[in-house]
């Protein structure tokens, strides 16, 4: 059973990135909508958070391959950036709904 967990841990970044491709396509379709009818600023911040996530997963894959050695500090910093973007976009959306 431990081997299954190890294998899933090694493959997880690859299928995460494969699923993110679908999300990126949906974001592109969203951004092609008429900007006068849709409030897109929170969605752009969510897309920025997604790009940070893609960078984090890419760093994980490259580090697992042994190409680079990344400091343990990078991943918490990237996750804090994602969380900060989420909080900011939620605050923006709340202000938009209140108006």
């Amino acid at each position: 059973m431990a081997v299954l967990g190890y294998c899933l841990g090694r493959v997880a970044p690859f299928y995460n990135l494969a699923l993110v491709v679908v999300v990126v396509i949906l974001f592109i379709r969203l951004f092609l909508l008429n900007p006068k009818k849709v409030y897109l600023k929170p969605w752009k911040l969510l897309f920025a958070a997604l790009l940070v996530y893609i960078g984090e997963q890419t760093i994980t894959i490259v580090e697992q391959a042994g190409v680079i050695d990344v400091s343990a500090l990078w991943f918490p910093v990237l996750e804090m950036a994602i969380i900060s973007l989420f909080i900011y976009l939620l605050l923006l959306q709340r202000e938009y709904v209140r108006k």
Side-chain angles (χ1 to χ4, degrees), residues 17-27:
L17 285 178
L19 293 173
V20 165
V21 169
V22 174
V23 175
V24 168
I25 291 169
L26 291 173
F27 267 111

Side-chain angles (χ1 to χ4, degrees), residues 35-67:
K36 293 180 181 178
K37 294 182 180 179
V38 180
Y39 182 55
L40 289 177
K41 186 157 185 174
W43 292 102
K44 290 178 182 178
L45 291 171
L46 185 62
F47 186 67
L50 180 71
L51 292 177
V52 172
Y53 176 75
I54 290 171
E56 181 182 4
Q57 289 300 311
T58 305
I59 290 171
T60 301
I61 290 171
V62 173
E63 185 181 27
Q64 281 182 355
V67 177

Side-chain angles (χ1 to χ4, degrees), residues 40-93:
L40 289 177
K41 186 157 185 174
W43 292 102
K44 290 178 182 178
L45 291 171
L46 185 62
F47 186 67
L50 180 71
L51 292 177
V52 172
Y53 176 75
I54 290 171
E56 181 182 4
Q57 289 300 311
T58 305
I59 290 171
T60 301
I61 290 171
V62 173
E63 185 181 27
Q64 281 182 355
V67 177
I68 59 172
D69 186 30
V70 180
S71 172
L73 183 64
W74 274 100
F75 296 110
V77 169
L78 292 174
E79 290 172 11
M80 185 61 75
I82 292 171
I83 291 169
S84 299
L85 286 168
F86 281 167
I87 291 171
Y88 184 59
L89 75 90
L90 287 173
L91 291 173
L92 281 177
Q93 186 64 31

